[in-house]
Amino acid sequence: MYYQFGKVRPHLTTRSLNPENQETPIHFISFIEPVADSIFYRRNHFPYPILTPESFTLKISGSVHYALLINYSDLLKLPSKSKRVLIECSGNKRAYFEEKVFGEQWENGAMSEGVWKGVPLKNLLEYTGIKAGVNEVVFRGRDVGVKSSQLIHYERSLPIAKALHTDVLIAYEYNGKPLSQKHGFPFRLIVPGWYGMASVKWLNEIILIKDKFTGPFQTNDYVYYYKNGTSEQVTTNHVNSTIQQPQDKQLVKSGTHEIKGIAWTGSGVVSKVEISFDKGDSWEQAKLKKIPKEHQTVSWSYPMEFKSGNEYHISVRATDNEGKTQPAEAIWNKKGYGYNAIMQITVKAE
Amino acid sequence: MYYQFGKVRPHLTTRSLNPENQETPIHFISFIEPVADSIFYRRNHFPYPILTPESFTLKISGSVHYALLINYSDLLKLPSKSKRVLIECSGNKRAYFEEKVFGEQWENGAMSEGVWKGVPLKNLLEYTGIKAGVNEVVFRGRDVGVKSSQLIHYERSLPIAKALHTDVLIAYEYNGKPLSQKHGFPFRLIVPGWYGMASVKWLNEIILIKDKFTGPFQTNDYVYYYKNGTSEQVTTNHVNSTIQQPQDKQLVKSGTHEIKGIAWTGSGVVSKVEISFDKGDSWEQAKLKKIPKEHQTVSWSYPMEFKSGNEYHISVRATDNEGKTQPAEAIWNKKGYGYNAIMQITVKAE
């Protein structure tokens, strides 16, 4: 009878519009469900590509015995695999570096997780036949733009051993539907356990090479440039965690409620999530909502009594089964990748 | 023939969902056009109210000669006024206080501006007749919730002199359309020049009183609690400005492009906007896009040559015709209202 006003809902947080870079409102979404396509974070290097007939083909060439040009409908007929995978931007949490770095100031939400369906790359490479001496596999998207005064496609490579991992997919579905246009339709490479720059969208060409690939997204961007002058390529996700509720500086209602968040790692699985109320002097274990799985976030919670008028300092850290744990301080690097310091917030009870 | 992917667009930035508090992506929107209803910032104290038949009436009572109950369709027949007005949350820019304060960490976008149409409150008060000795006018919205263990409506008062200002409106349209449900349908008080807490949404009752109104949103919230122990109510907007493009820590393309932003003030009008590239040692005037008007933002710009590899520190400050100017440091107050320090960003040219 009476009209109830529209449901409240979170929106993407805009970091830039040209190209479009928008962040998932991670404080409010549950990672127990796959992230809806509409709030999947968006990280682009160039404007969205125009969809042409050529977008619907996938070419495999270079050091192969039989070059292939597979069209969309044929690829969909090949044996497929579905896998729930987290994709995290290597610039996620960049805003938290204490000595600020230039670039999009991503907070916690440059990451999303859901179910990808596609054809294992390994199967396709077996059809083409890999020539002796192949070292890397280059993936070229259809997105194009000017970089260092040159018109280039977004392209990245994987070492051949990683490319042959059975979980690396040529995905064409997300959460049971064709990939959306903004997230790589019709094909996207999915590289579980590596930061998102490896999962090339609008994938159009795959080229096997014997040399080292030296495109700018490989040797200029997506490189950790450390303070001591050394550098190293960005590859595997670091062990990490985020408090989703409450938020930093939030005025919480007094009473008992749960502190909630997620944890994840790049290789292996999360083995524990710990919480501290004394800035790390003592740690207690948070409860994991499911048994951690490779390449997926695990939700955790910790029930806490908040007393009116009191302030609470809350720290959280994750550790994985390979013994990696979040450091007190993130390793600073010039371009601001891979931030994974222990997360710390302060809240006050009303 | 070829399909061009969907237009990119900014979304509201979520600060909390219950109640819904969402910020306008100010870095990307032009204030030359009125802000679209869908990206008007949202600041709520309680869940959205349920729309009932009583929502469509406006009751004026208390110290009046003739109490009134006006219904929606009758109010729309009264002589009306349209006015372009900025509404800014008093917590806008709270995130920038250096000694952090609790509460929603609004950045720049807890402000929006557009055209409000409605009946001047003064006219309605003339119909009812104001009794001698009236001191304040209380405005009660239909939004309800628990605060300090009591179920209360959102309500605030204005001093009678302010309530009788001809620009104070009972608005029923925004940008030529009925107010939307999330922004106060069917009636919203509009108090130009005061921070947004005064512009009560879902306005339902107006009560004239001889005493001082002491509701919690008047005497607990929306009070500047200063470090020296004194306090003062939040009323008029402070003189202020924001750089919309580029953003802090942005990697800008080399070449000449415009630094853009807005400026505004609470009473009077903006008289100048200045920009500094040497942390305030010297200032140059930015160009205003129109003649500043009371209660409206004015857009400004400054053309600048960015040279590849260089870093730029940019400061901006507005001054109004009453001689008020933005301070180097905002006046810290416990609840984090009225932040208006000179805005400073650092960018690097690629």
Side-chain angles (χ1 to χ4, degrees), chain B residues 185-259:
Chain B
F185 179 80
F187 308 125
R188 178 175 190 172
L189 183 69
I190 296 295
V191 184
W194 278 38
Y195 280 113
M197 76 282 148
S199 292
V200 177
K201 294 189 291 268
W202 309 288
L203 181 65
N204 203 218
E205 284 196 55
I206 298 174
I207 307 139
L208 284 72
I209 61 171
K210 294 181 177 179
D211 295 333
K212 240 182 146 52
F213 178 66
T214 57
F217 293 106
Q218 193 91 6
T219 55
N220 182 21
D221 291 339
Y222 301 117
V223 175
Y224 295 110
Y225 293 104
Y226 299 118
K227 281 211 161 147
N228 64 5
T230 63
S231 67
E232 151 182 37
Q233 289 202 0
V234 175
T235 57
T236 314
N237 301 53
H238 291 159
V239 62
N240 220 329
S241 65
T242 284
I243 302 169
Q244 292 176 287
Q245 285 175 26
Q247 289 188 78
D248 193 23
K249 299 298 162 203
Q250 190 176 327
L251 287 161
V252 299
K253 300 245 178 289
S254 57
T256 297
H257 29 121
E258 291 203 327
I259 301 168

Coordinates of all heavy atoms in Angstrom, one line a residue, chain B residues 185-259:
Chain B
F185 N 11.4 14.1 -1.5 CA 10.0 14.2 -2.0 C 9.0 13.9 -0.9 O 9.2 13.1 -0.1 CB 9.8 13.1 -3.1 CG 8.5 13.0 -3.7 CD1 8.1 13.9 -4.7 CD2 7.5 12.1 -3.2 CE1 6.8 13.9 -5.2 CE2 6.3 12.0 -3.8 CZ 5.9 12.9 -4.8
P186 N 7.9 14.7 -0.8 CA 7.5 15.7 -1.8 C 8.1 17.1 -1.5 O 8.1 18.0 -2.4 CB 6.0 15.7 -1.7 CG 5.7 15.2 -0.4 CD 6.8 14.4 0.1
F187 N 8.5 17.4 -0.2 CA 8.9 18.8 0.1 C 10.3 18.8 0.8 O 10.5 18.0 1.7 CB 7.9 19.4 1.1 CG 6.5 19.4 0.7 CD1 5.5 18.9 1.6 CD2 6.1 20.0 -0.5 CE1 4.2 18.9 1.2 CE2 4.8 20.0 -0.9 CZ 3.8 19.4 0.0
R188 N 11.1 19.7 0.4 CA 12.4 19.9 1.1 C 12.6 21.4 1.4 O 12.4 22.2 0.5 CB 13.5 19.4 0.2 CG 14.9 19.6 0.8 CD 16.0 19.0 0.1 NE 17.2 19.1 0.9 CZ 18.4 18.6 0.6 NH1 18.5 17.9 -0.5 NH2 19.4 18.7 1.4
L189 N 13.0 21.7 2.6 CA 13.4 23.1 2.9 C 14.7 23.4 2.2 O 15.6 22.5 2.2 CB 13.5 23.2 4.4 CG 13.8 24.6 4.9 CD1 12.6 25.6 4.7 CD2 14.3 24.6 6.4
I190 N 14.8 24.5 1.6 CA 16.1 24.9 1.0 C 16.6 26.2 1.7 O 15.9 27.2 1.7 CB 16.0 25.1 -0.5 CG1 15.6 23.8 -1.2 CG2 17.3 25.7 -1.1 CD1 16.7 22.7 -1.1
V191 N 17.7 26.2 2.4 CA 18.3 27.3 3.1 C 19.6 27.7 2.4 O 20.7 27.2 2.8 CB 18.5 27.0 4.6 CG1 19.0 28.3 5.3 CG2 17.2 26.4 5.2
P192 N 19.5 28.6 1.4 CA 20.7 29.0 0.7 C 21.8 29.6 1.6 O 21.4 30.4 2.5 CB 20.2 30.1 -0.3 CG 18.8 29.8 -0.5 CD 18.3 29.3 0.9
G193 N 23.0 29.3 1.4 CA 24.1 29.8 2.2 C 24.4 29.2 3.5 O 25.4 29.4 4.1
W194 N 23.5 28.3 3.9 CA 23.8 27.5 5.1 C 24.2 26.1 4.7 O 23.8 25.6 3.7 CB 22.6 27.4 6.1 CG 22.4 28.6 6.9 CD1 22.6 29.9 6.6 CD2 21.9 28.6 8.3 NE1 22.3 30.7 7.7 CE2 21.9 29.9 8.7 CE3 21.5 27.6 9.2 CZ2 21.5 30.3 10.0 CZ3 21.1 27.9 10.5 CH2 21.1 29.3 10.9
Y195 N 25.0 25.4 5.5 CA 25.4 24.1 5.2 C 24.1 23.2 5.1 O 23.1 23.6 5.7 CB 26.3 23.5 6.3 CG 27.8 24.0 6.1 CD1 28.4 24.8 7.0 CD2 28.5 23.5 5.0 CE1 29.8 25.2 6.8 CE2 29.8 23.9 4.8 CZ 30.5 24.8 5.7 OH 31.8 25.1 5.5
G196 N 24.3 22.1 4.5 CA 23.1 21.2 4.1 C 22.2 20.7 5.2 O 21.1 20.4 5.0
M197 N 22.8 20.6 6.4 CA 21.9 20.1 7.5 C 20.7 20.9 7.8 O 19.7 20.4 8.3 CB 22.7 20.0 8.8 CG 23.0 21.2 9.6 SD 24.3 22.3 8.9 CE 23.8 23.9 9.2
A198 N 20.7 22.2 7.3 CA 19.6 23.1 7.5 C 18.4 22.8 6.5 O 17.3 23.1 6.8 CB 20.0 24.5 7.4
S199 N 18.8 22.2 5.4 CA 17.8 22.0 4.3 C 17.1 20.7 4.5 O 17.4 19.7 3.8 CB 18.5 22.1 2.9 OG 19.0 23.5 2.7
V200 N 16.2 20.7 5.4 CA 15.5 19.5 5.9 C 14.7 18.8 4.8 O 13.9 19.4 4.1 CB 14.6 19.8 7.1 CG1 13.8 18.6 7.5 CG2 15.4 20.4 8.2
K201 N 14.9 17.5 4.6 CA 14.3 16.7 3.5 C 13.0 16.1 4.1 O 12.8 16.0 5.3 CB 15.2 15.6 3.0 CG 16.4 16.1 2.3 CD 17.3 15.0 1.7 CE 17.9 14.1 2.7 NZ 19.3 14.4 3.0
W202 N 12.1 15.7 3.2 CA 10.8 15.0 3.5 C 10.1 15.9 4.6 O 9.5 15.4 5.5 CB 11.0 13.6 4.1 CG 11.8 12.8 3.1 CD1 11.5 12.3 1.9 CD2 13.2 12.4 3.3 NE1 12.5 11.6 1.3 CE2 13.6 11.7 2.1 CE3 14.2 12.6 4.3 CZ2 14.9 11.1 2.0 CZ3 15.4 12.0 4.2 CH2 15.8 11.3 3.0
L203 N 10.2 17.2 4.4 CA 9.6 18.2 5.3 C 8.1 18.0 5.5 O 7.4 17.9 4.5 CB 9.9 19.6 4.8 CG 9.4 20.7 5.7 CD1 10.2 20.7 7.0 CD2 9.6 22.1 5.0
N204 N 7.7 17.9 6.7 CA 6.3 17.6 7.0 C 5.7 18.5 8.0 O 4.5 18.7 7.9 CB 6.4 16.1 7.6 CG 5.1 15.4 7.5 OD1 4.7 14.7 8.4 ND2 4.3 15.6 6.4
E205 N 6.5 19.0 8.9 CA 5.9 19.9 9.9 C 6.8 21.1 10.2 O 8.0 21.0 10.2 CB 5.7 19.2 11.3 CG 4.5 18.3 11.3 CD 4.2 17.9 12.7 OE1 3.9 18.8 13.5 OE2 4.1 16.7 13.0
I206 N 6.2 22.3 10.4 CA 6.9 23.5 10.7 C 6.3 24.1 12.0 O 5.0 24.2 12.0 CB 6.8 24.6 9.5 CG1 7.4 24.0 8.2 CG2 7.4 25.9 9.9 CD1 7.2 24.9 7.0
I207 N 7.1 24.3 13.0 CA 6.5 24.7 14.3 C 7.3 25.9 14.7 O 8.5 26.0 14.8 CB 6.8 23.5 15.3 CG1 6.2 22.2 14.8 CG2 6.1 23.9 16.7 CD1 7.0 21.0 15.1
L208 N 6.5 27.0 15.0 CA 7.1 28.2 15.4 C 7.1 28.2 17.0 O 6.1 27.9 17.6 CB 6.2 29.4 14.9 CG 6.5 29.8 13.4 CD1 5.8 28.7 12.5 CD2 6.0 31.2 13.1
I209 N 8.3 28.6 17.5 CA 8.5 28.5 19.0 C 9.1 29.8 19.5 O 9.8 30.5 18.8 CB 9.3 27.3 19.4 CG1 10.8 27.4 18.8 CG2 8.7 26.0 19.0 CD1 11.7 26.3 19.3
K210 N 8.8 30.0 20.8 CA 9.4 31.2 21.5 C 10.7 30.9 22.2 O 11.5 31.8 22.5 CB 8.3 31.8 22.5 CG 7.1 32.3 21.7 CD 6.1 32.9 22.7 CE 4.9 33.4 21.9 NZ 3.8 34.0 22.7
D211 N 10.9 29.6 22.4 CA 12.2 29.2 23.1 C 13.3 28.9 22.1 O 13.2 29.2 20.9 CB 11.9 27.9 23.9 CG 10.9 28.2 25.0 OD1 10.8 29.3 25.5 OD2 10.1 27.2 25.3
K212 N 14.3 28.3 22.7 CA 15.4 27.9 21.8 C 15.2 26.4 21.6 O 14.9 25.6 22.5 CB 16.7 28.0 22.7 CG 17.7 28.9 22.0 CD 19.0 29.0 22.9 CE 20.2 29.2 22.0 NZ 20.1 30.3 21.0
F213 N 15.3 26.0 20.3 CA 15.2 24.5 20.0 C 16.4 23.8 20.4 O 17.6 24.2 20.2 CB 14.9 24.4 18.5 CG 14.8 23.0 18.1 CD1 13.7 22.2 18.5 CD2 15.7 22.4 17.2 CE1 13.6 20.9 18.1 CE2 15.6 21.1 16.8 CZ 14.6 20.3 17.3
T214 N 16.2 22.6 21.1 CA 17.4 21.9 21.6 C 17.5 20.4 21.1 O 18.0 19.6 21.8 CB 17.4 21.9 23.2 OG1 16.1 21.3 23.6 CG2 17.5 23.3 23.7
G215 N 16.9 20.1 20.0 CA 17.0 18.8 19.5 C 18.4 18.3 19.3 O 19.3 19.2 19.2
P216 N 18.7 17.0 19.2 CA 20.1 16.5 19.1 C 20.8 17.0 17.9 O 22.1 17.1 17.9 CB 20.0 15.0 19.2 CG 18.5 14.7 18.9 CD 17.7 15.9 19.3
F217 N 20.1 17.2 16.8 CA 20.8 17.6 15.5 C 21.1 19.1 15.6 O 21.7 19.6 14.6 CB 20.0 17.3 14.3 CG 19.8 15.8 14.1 CD1 18.6 15.1 14.4 CD2 20.9 15.0 13.6 CE1 18.5 13.7 14.2 CE2 20.8 13.7 13.5 CZ 19.6 13.0 13.7
Q218 N 20.7 19.7 16.7 CA 21.0 21.2 16.8 C 22.0 21.4 17.9 O 22.8 22.3 17.7 CB 19.6 21.8 17.3 CG 19.6 23.3 17.2 CD 19.1 23.8 15.9 OE1 18.6 23.0 15.1 NE2 19.1 25.1 15.6
T219 N 22.0 20.6 19.0 CA 22.8 21.0 20.1 C 23.9 19.9 20.4 O 24.8 20.1 21.2 CB 22.0 21.1 21.4 OG1 21.2 19.9 21.5 CG2 21.0 22.3 21.3
N220 N 23.8 18.8 19.6 CA 24.9 17.8 19.8 C 25.6 17.6 18.5 O 26.8 18.0 18.4 CB 24.3 16.4 20.2 CG 25.3 15.4 20.4 OD1 26.5 15.7 20.7 ND2 24.9 14.1 20.4
D221 N 24.9 17.2 17.4 CA 25.6 17.2 16.1 C 25.5 18.6 15.6 O 24.8 19.5 16.1 CB 24.8 16.3 15.2 CG 25.0 14.8 15.6 OD1 25.9 14.5 16.3 OD2 24.1 14.0 15.2
Y222 N 26.2 18.8 14.5 CA 26.3 20.2 13.8 C 26.6 21.3 14.8 O 26.1 22.4 14.7 CB 24.9 20.4 13.1 CG 24.7 19.3 12.1 CD1 23.6 18.5 12.1 CD2 25.6 19.1 11.0 CE1 23.5 17.4 11.2 CE2 25.5 18.1 10.1 CZ 24.4 17.2 10.2 OH 24.2 16.2 9.3
V223 N 27.6 21.0 15.6 CA 28.2 22.0 16.5 C 29.7 21.9 16.3 O 30.3 20.8 16.2 CB 27.8 21.7 18.0 CG1 28.6 22.6 18.9 CG2 26.3 21.7 18.2
Y224 N 30.3 23.0 16.1 CA 31.8 23.1 16.1 C 32.3 23.0 17.5 O 32.1 23.9 18.3 CB 32.3 24.4 15.5 CG 32.0 24.7 14.1 CD1 31.1 25.7 13.8 CD2 32.6 24.0 13.0 CE1 30.8 26.0 12.4 CE2 32.3 24.3 11.7 CZ 31.4 25.3 11.4 OH 31.2 25.6 10.1
Y225 N 33.0 21.9 17.9 CA 33.6 21.8 19.2 C 35.1 22.1 19.0 O 35.8 21.2 18.4 CB 33.4 20.4 19.8 CG 31.9 20.1 20.2 CD1 31.2 19.3 19.4 CD2 31.4 20.7 21.3 CE1 29.8 19.0 19.7 CE2 30.0 20.4 21.6 CZ 29.3 19.6 20.8 OH 28.0 19.3 21.1
Y226 N 35.5 23.2 19.4 CA 36.9 23.6 19.2 C 37.9 23.0 20.3 O 37.5 22.6 21.3 CB 37.1 25.1 19.1 CG 36.2 25.7 18.0 CD1 35.2 26.6 18.3 CD2 36.5 25.4 16.7 CE1 34.5 27.2 17.3 CE2 35.8 26.0 15.7 CZ 34.7 26.9 16.0 OH 34.0 27.4 15.0
K227 N 39.2 23.1 19.9 CA 40.2 22.5 20.8 C 40.2 23.2 22.2 O 40.6 22.6 23.2 CB 41.6 22.6 20.2 CG 41.8 21.5 19.1 CD 43.2 21.1 19.0 CE 43.3 19.7 18.4 NZ 44.5 19.6 17.5
N228 N 39.9 24.5 22.2 CA 40.0 25.3 23.4 C 38.8 25.1 24.3 O 38.6 25.8 25.3 CB 40.3 26.8 23.1 CG 39.1 27.4 22.4 OD1 38.0 26.7 22.2 ND2 39.2 28.6 22.0
G229 N 37.9 24.2 23.9 CA 36.7 23.9 24.8 C 35.5 24.7 24.5 O 34.4 24.4 25.0
T230 N 35.6 25.7 23.6 CA 34.4 26.5 23.2 C 33.7 25.7 22.1 O 34.2 24.8 21.5 CB 34.8 27.9 22.7 OG1 35.6 27.7 21.5 CG2 35.6 28.7 23.7
S231 N 32.5 26.2 21.9 CA 31.7 25.6 20.8 C 30.8 26.6 20.2 O 30.5 27.7 20.7 CB 30.9 24.4 21.3 OG 29.9 24.8 22.2
E232 N 30.2 26.2 19.0 CA 29.4 27.2 18.2 C 28.6 26.4 17.2 O 29.1 25.4 16.7 CB 30.4 28.2 17.6 CG 30.0 28.8 16.3 CD 31.2 29.7 15.7 OE1 32.4 29.4 15.9 OE2 30.8 30.7 15.2
Q233 N 27.4 26.8 16.9 CA 26.6 26.0 16.0 C 27.1 26.2 14.6 O 27.6 27.3 14.2 CB 25.1 26.5 16.1 CG 24.5 26.0 17.4 CD 23.0 25.9 17.4 OE1 22.4 26.2 16.4 NE2 22.5 25.5 18.5
V234 N 26.9 25.2 13.8 CA 27.2 25.2 12.4 C 26.1 26.0 11.6 O 24.9 25.6 11.8 CB 27.4 23.8 11.8 CG1 27.6 23.8 10.3 CG2 28.5 23.0 12.5
T235 N 26.4 27.0 10.9 CA 25.4 27.7 10.1 C 25.9 27.9 8.7 O 25.7 27.1 7.8 CB 25.1 29.1 10.8 OG1 26.3 29.9 10.9 CG2 24.5 28.9 12.2
T236 N 26.5 29.1 8.4 CA 26.9 29.5 7.1 C 28.1 28.7 6.5 O 29.0 28.4 7.2 CB 27.3 31.0 7.1 OG1 26.3 31.7 7.9 CG2 27.3 31.6 5.7
N237 N 28.0 28.4 5.2 CA 29.1 27.8 4.5 C 30.4 28.7 4.5 O 30.3 29.9 4.4 CB 28.8 27.6 3.0 CG 27.6 26.7 2.7 OD1 26.5 27.0 3.3 ND2 27.8 25.7 1.9
H238 N 31.5 28.0 4.7 CA 32.8 28.8 4.7 C 33.2 29.0 3.2 O 32.8 28.2 2.3 CB 33.9 28.0 5.4 CG 33.6 27.9 6.9 ND1 34.2 26.9 7.6 CD2 32.9 28.7 7.7 CE1 33.9 27.1 8.9 NE2 33.1 28.1 9.0
V239 N 34.0 30.1 3.0 CA 34.5 30.3 1.7 C 35.5 29.1 1.4 O 36.2 28.6 2.2 CB 35.3 31.7 1.6 CG1 36.5 31.7 2.5 CG2 35.7 32.0 0.2
N240 N 35.4 28.6 0.1 CA 36.1 27.4 -0.2 C 36.3 27.2 -1.7 O 35.8 27.9 -2.5 CB 35.1 26.2 0.3 CG 35.9 25.1 1.0 OD1 37.0 24.8 0.6 ND2 35.2 24.4 1.9
S241 N 37.2 26.3 -2.0 CA 37.4 26.0 -3.4 C 37.9 24.5 -3.6 O 38.4 24.0 -2.6 CB 38.4 26.9 -4.1 OG 39.7 26.8 -3.5
T242 N 37.8 24.0 -4.7 CA 38.3 22.6 -5.0 C 38.9 22.6 -6.4 O 38.3 23.2 -7.3 CB 37.1 21.6 -4.9 OG1 36.8 21.4 -3.5 CG2 37.4 20.3 -5.5
I243 N 40.0 21.8 -6.5 CA 40.6 21.6 -7.8 C 39.9 20.3 -8.3 O 39.9 19.3 -7.7 CB 42.1 21.3 -7.7 CG1 42.8 22.6 -7.1 CG2 42.7 21.0 -9.1 CD1 44.2 22.3 -6.8
Q244 N 39.2 20.4 -9.5 CA 38.6 19.2 -10.0 C 39.5 18.4 -11.0 O 39.4 17.2 -11.0 CB 37.3 19.6 -10.8 CG 36.2 20.2 -9.9 CD 35.0 20.7 -10.6 OE1 35.1 21.7 -11.3 NE2 33.9 19.9 -10.6
Q245 N 40.3 19.1 -11.7 CA 41.2 18.5 -12.7 C 42.5 19.3 -12.7 O 42.5 20.5 -12.8 CB 40.7 18.4 -14.1 CG 39.6 17.4 -14.3 CD 39.0 17.5 -15.7 OE1 39.7 18.0 -16.6 NE2 37.8 17.1 -15.9
P246 N 43.7 18.7 -12.6 CA 43.9 17.2 -12.4 C 43.7 16.8 -10.9 O 43.3 17.7 -10.1 CB 45.4 17.1 -12.7 CG 46.0 18.4 -12.4 CD 45.0 19.4 -12.7
Q247 N 43.8 15.6 -10.6 CA 43.7 15.1 -9.3 C 45.0 14.9 -8.6 O 46.0 14.8 -9.2 CB 43.0 13.7 -9.3 CG 41.6 13.8 -9.7 CD 41.0 12.4 -9.5 OE1 40.7 12.0 -8.4 NE2 40.9 11.7 -10.6
D248 N 44.9 14.9 -7.3 CA 46.2 14.7 -6.5 C 46.8 13.4 -6.9 O 46.2 12.4 -7.0 CB 45.8 14.7 -5.0 CG 47.0 14.8 -4.1 OD1 48.1 15.3 -4.6 OD2 47.0 14.3 -3.0
K249 N 48.1 13.5 -7.1 CA 49.0 12.3 -7.5 C 48.7 11.8 -8.9 O 49.1 10.7 -9.2 CB 48.9 11.2 -6.5 CG 49.3 11.5 -5.1 CD 50.7 12.0 -5.0 CE 51.0 12.7 -3.7 NZ 52.2 13.6 -3.8
Q250 N 48.0 12.6 -9.7 CA 47.7 12.2 -11.0 C 49.0 12.3 -11.9 O 49.8 13.2 -11.7 CB 46.6 13.0 -11.7 CG 46.1 12.4 -13.0 CD 44.9 13.2 -13.5 OE1 44.1 13.7 -12.8 NE2 44.8 13.2 -14.8
L251 N 49.2 11.3 -12.8 CA 50.2 11.4 -13.9 C 49.5 12.1 -15.0 O 48.6 11.6 -15.7 CB 50.6 10.0 -14.3 CG 51.5 9.3 -13.3 CD1 51.5 7.8 -13.5 CD2 53.0 9.8 -13.3
V252 N 49.9 13.4 -15.3 CA 49.2 14.2 -16.3 C 50.0 14.0 -17.6 O 51.2 13.8 -17.6 CB 49.0 15.7 -16.0 CG1 48.1 15.8 -14.7 CG2 50.4 16.4 -15.7
K253 N 49.3 14.2 -18.8 CA 50.1 14.2 -20.0 C 50.8 15.5 -20.1 O 50.4 16.5 -19.7 CB 49.1 14.1 -21.2 CG 48.2 12.8 -21.1 CD 48.5 11.9 -22.3 CE 47.7 10.6 -22.2 NZ 48.1 9.7 -21.1
S254 N 52.0 15.4 -20.7 CA 52.8 16.7 -20.9 C 52.1 17.5 -22.0 O 51.3 17.0 -22.7 CB 54.2 16.4 -21.3 OG 54.2 15.6 -22.5
G255 N 52.3 18.8 -21.9 CA 51.6 19.8 -22.8 C 50.9 20.8 -22.0 O 50.9 20.8 -20.8
T256 N 50.2 21.7 -22.8 CA 49.4 22.7 -22.1 C 48.0 22.3 -21.9 O 47.3 22.0 -22.9 CB 49.5 24.1 -22.9 OG1 50.9 24.5 -22.9 CG2 48.7 25.1 -22.2
H257 N 47.5 22.2 -20.7 CA 46.1 22.1 -20.5 C 45.6 22.8 -19.2 O 46.5 23.3 -18.5 CB 45.6 20.6 -20.5 CG 46.6 19.6 -20.1 ND1 46.4 18.8 -19.0 CD2 47.8 19.3 -20.6 CE1 47.4 18.0 -18.9 NE2 48.3 18.2 -19.8
E258 N 44.3 22.9 -19.1 CA 43.8 23.7 -18.1 C 43.6 23.0 -16.7 O 43.1 21.9 -16.7 CB 42.4 24.3 -18.5 CG 42.6 25.3 -19.6 CD 41.4 26.2 -19.7 OE1 40.3 25.8 -19.4 OE2 41.6 27.4 -20.1
I259 N 44.0 23.7 -15.7 CA 43.7 23.3 -14.3 C 42.3 23.9 -14.1 O 42.0 25.0 -14.4 CB 44.7 23.9 -13.3 CG1 46.1 23.4 -13.7 CG2 44.4 23.5 -11.9 CD1 47.2 24.1 -13.0

